[in-house]
């Protein structure tokens, strides 16, 4: 087994898996290491959505939304069994911050940015069908829009990307602990452990893809001239053990540019921004 690589990826979430896959596909000898399990960190604590970010339309971040929607389409094409379209329902209330006209315009822009060949365009749900949306509060309800987003099992998706990276030549080690790295003339000397066994690898570059733990990993890399500054972003998701509804919803958040998704997940419900 080789101990010399072009790239060492630290962190086996969806970001690290994607980096390893892209590197291997482009002919780089690649090593990826993960401490617990593939997709067991930040990746599994998400809203399970692959979308363009409807809030980006309100913020006028059209290019960002367009890029994400194109990525969504690509994933739906190459991984139809893992990334599947699903209908979401967006209610508009008289007591809310958004009007039916503004919300409809927002969704129309979202459709246009998604382009042809993606998901169907949004619809207005007839009032006679509202009662079929179990769990929806109909008090002061003005209109309900339906539109499609992509839904995925993030851990399963990560595992499939890792399999693809390995198929194209990457070495994937899990579970192993990243002990640290030290600069050499040609790159880095990386040390990892699994139980009592310690292994050493040499690589030209290191990709730190550990998310919320990135600062902990960075300080273990000796010889860096300047530590990159990182900003922690906090996001909370609540998982209920009861299924609140068989439908998926987007609800208005506390801010005008924020939506909260409510979706069945396994035998419960996942709620989050």
């Amino acid at each position: 087994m080789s101990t010399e690589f072009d790239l060492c990826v630290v962190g086996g979430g969806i970001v690290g898996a994607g980096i390893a896959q892209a590197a291997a596909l482009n002919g780089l000898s690649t090593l990826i290491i993960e401490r617990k399990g593939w997709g067991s960190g930040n990746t599994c604590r998400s809203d399970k959505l692959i979308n363009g970010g409807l809030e980006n339309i309100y913020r006028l971040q059209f290019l960002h939304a367009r890029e994400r929607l194109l990525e969504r389409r690509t994933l739906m094409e190459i991984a139809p069994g893992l990334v599947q379209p699903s209908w979401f329902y967006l209610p508009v209330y008289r007591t809310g911050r958004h009007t039916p006209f503004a919300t409809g315009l927002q969704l129309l822009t979202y459709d246009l940015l998604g382009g042809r060949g993606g998901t169907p365009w949004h619809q207005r749900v007839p009032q006679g069908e509202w009662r079929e949306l179990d769990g929806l509060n109909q008090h002061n309800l003005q209109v309900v829009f339906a539109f499609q987003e992509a839904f995925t099992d993030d851990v399963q998706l990560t595992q499939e990307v890792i399999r693809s990276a390995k198929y194209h030549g990457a070495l994937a080690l899990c579970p192993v602990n990243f002990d640290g790295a030290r600069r050499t003339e040609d790159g880095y000397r990386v040390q990892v452990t699994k139980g009592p066994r310690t292994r050493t690898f040499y690589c030209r570059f290191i990709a730190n893809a550990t998310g919320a733990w990135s600062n902990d990993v960075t300080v273990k890399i000796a010889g860096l001239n300047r530590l990159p500054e990182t900003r922690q972003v906090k996001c909370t998701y609540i998982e209920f053990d009861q299924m609140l509804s068989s439908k998926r919803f987007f609800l208005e958040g506390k801010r005008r540019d924020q939506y909260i998704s409510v979706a069945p997940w396994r035998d419960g419900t996942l709620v989050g921004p």
Side-chain angles (χ1 to χ4, degrees), residues 53-60 62 90 92 98-113 122 145 256-259:
L54 189 59
E55 67 281 356
N56 289 321
I57 306 302
Y58 187 87
R59 298 168 186 167
L60 304 181
F62 300 128
L90 176 55
V92 180
H98 301 287
T99 65
F101 175 79
T103 303
L105 184 60
Q106 190 177 17
L107 288 169
L108 176 60
T109 306
Y110 200 60
D111 292 335
L112 291 170
L113 290 173
H122 78 280
F145 292 99
R256 291 182 66 90
D257 62 344
Q258 181 185 49
Y259 289 98

Side-chain angles (χ1 to χ4, degrees), residues 13-30:
I14 189 61
V15 174
I19 293 172
Q21 181 196 46
L25 278 168
N26 283 278
L28 297 180
S29 55
T30 305

Side-chain angles (χ1 to χ4, degrees), residues 37-57:
W38 306 119
S40 63
N42 286 348
T43 296
C44 70
R45 298 171 177 88
S46 76
D47 57 8
K48 321 301 178 188
L49 293 177
I50 297 178
N51 60 7
L54 189 59
E55 67 281 356
N56 289 321
I57 306 302

Side-chain angles (χ1 to χ4, degrees), residues 40-212:
S40 63
N42 286 348
T43 296
C44 70
R45 298 171 177 88
S46 76
D47 57 8
K48 321 301 178 188
L49 293 177
I50 297 178
N51 60 7
L54 189 59
E55 67 281 356
N56 289 321
I57 306 302
Y58 187 87
R59 298 168 186 167
L60 304 181
Q61 297 175 345
F62 300 128
L63 292 178
H64 184 45
R66 170 69 172 167
E67 180 182 14
R68 290 176 56 174
L69 288 168
L70 291 177
E71 290 177 351
R72 181 187 70 178
R73 183 196 302 179
T74 300
L75 285 169
M76 290 173 61
E77 291 174 351
I78 66 177
L82 292 172
V83 182
Q84 300 177 336
S86 181
W87 285 102
F88 280 78
Y89 299 93
L90 176 55
V92 180
Y93 293 93
R94 292 184 179 87
T95 55
R97 297 183 180 89
H98 301 287
T99 65
F101 175 79
T103 303
L105 184 60
Q106 190 177 17
L107 288 169
L108 176 60
T109 306
Y110 200 60
D111 292 335
L112 291 170
L113 290 173
R116 295 182 178 181
T119 58
W121 284 29
H122 78 280
Q123 307 170 7
R124 285 183 69 142
V125 180
Q127 188 171 355
E129 299 178 9
W130 290 358
R131 62 180 58 195
E132 299 176 13
L133 304 176
D134 56 297
L136 179 65
N137 179 13
Q138 297 188 29
H139 183 63
N140 284 325
L141 184 60
Q142 287 184 288
V143 65
V144 179
F145 292 99
F147 67 103
Q148 281 200 350
E149 290 287 20
F151 206 73
T152 188
D153 183 326
D154 39 23
V155 174
Q156 187 179 359
L157 179 63
T158 302
Q159 292 171 348
E160 289 297 325
V161 176
I162 288 292
R163 290 190 185 97
S164 174
K166 291 169 65 177
Y167 176 80
H168 289 93
L171 175 62
L173 300 179
C174 174
V176 294
N177 187 62
F178 175 74
D179 294 333
R182 182 174 294 277
R183 290 280 305 196
T184 64
E185 291 184 359
D186 300 323
Y188 297 89
R189 178 180 181 272
V190 178
Q191 183 171 300
V192 301
T193 58
K194 181 177 181 180
R197 185 182 180 187
T198 298
R199 301 176 67 178
T200 301
F201 299 95
Y202 297 88
C203 62
R204 293 170 56 204
F205 303 100
I206 294 178
N208 182 356
T210 53

